[in-house]
Each structure stands twice: as C-alpha cells, then as structure tokens.
Amino acid sequence: MGSWRFIIIQAAVLILWIIVNAGSKGERWDPYPFILLNLMPSFQAACAAPIIMMSQNRQASIDRADARNDHLVGSKLRQPALSHKLVRVYHRYLPWP
C-alpha cells in the first residue's frame, strides 16, 4: 500500500470491474451503483488507517528518543571538563600541520 505500483494496479482492477460488470449482457453480480465494488476500497481504507497511525506513533517515539539523545550530547559538550578533554584528544590525534 502506498506505492505507485499498488495505486495503478488497484485503479486497473476497479476499472476492469466496472467495464466487465457494466458491459455484461447476462446477469450482473454487482448492479450499477456498484455497492460491492465500493465495499472493497472502504474495507481497505478501514484496515490501512490503523496501520498508518501505528507507524506514525512508532516514528514519533523514535524521533523523541533521537531528540533526547541530541539534547544529552549537547548538554555534555557544554560542560567545560569534557570540552577540554575533547580538544586534547583532537589535537593529539589530529595535530596541526
């Protein structure tokens, strides 16, 4: 769900359903208002909505954890002792030319 391939295949199936059902000279399994056809996308949307919401909640928790880690790293870099240690390590392993 959500890819162009899926959208194109779904549109093709819906169009094929309408053409076959409307063009049938015999008994039609889904007459003109296409109630059964409307039921399929509605069912799909009802199933997709909770999945989308769960993935958004999962991404939000990941973003919160990243923000918390960024804050912790930033606050530790503001501490003078740690900054001096980082400067010493930097100059030790990457001396100026």
Side-chain angles (χ1 to χ4, degrees), residues 1-16:
M1 274 192 282
S3 67
W4 279 108
R5 180 179 177 198
F6 174 80
I7 292 171
I8 291 169
I9 290 172
Q10 184 180 22
V13 167
L14 296 178
I15 291 169
L16 182 67

Side-chain angles (χ1 to χ4, degrees), residues 24-87:
S24 173
K25 299 221 189 268
E27 185 177 330
R28 296 180 178 127
W29 68 88
D30 190 17
Y32 165 66
F34 304 119
I35 294 172
L36 185 59
L37 177 66
N38 288 327
L39 180 66
M40 289 189 301
S42 299
F43 179 74
Q44 178 191 1
C47 291
I51 294 170
I52 292 168
M53 291 177 71
M54 286 186 297
S55 67
Q56 286 176 341
N57 287 339
R58 190 177 316 120
Q59 187 61 44
S61 66
I62 291 170
D63 291 342
R64 275 193 302 276
D66 286 345
R68 187 173 28 252
N69 289 338
D70 289 345
H71 174 70
L72 290 173
V73 168
S75 64
K76 291 210 183 280
L77 285 178
R78 285 187 218 111
Q79 294 175 357
L82 184 60
S83 338
H84 292 298
K85 287 179 186 177
L86 288 174
V87 168

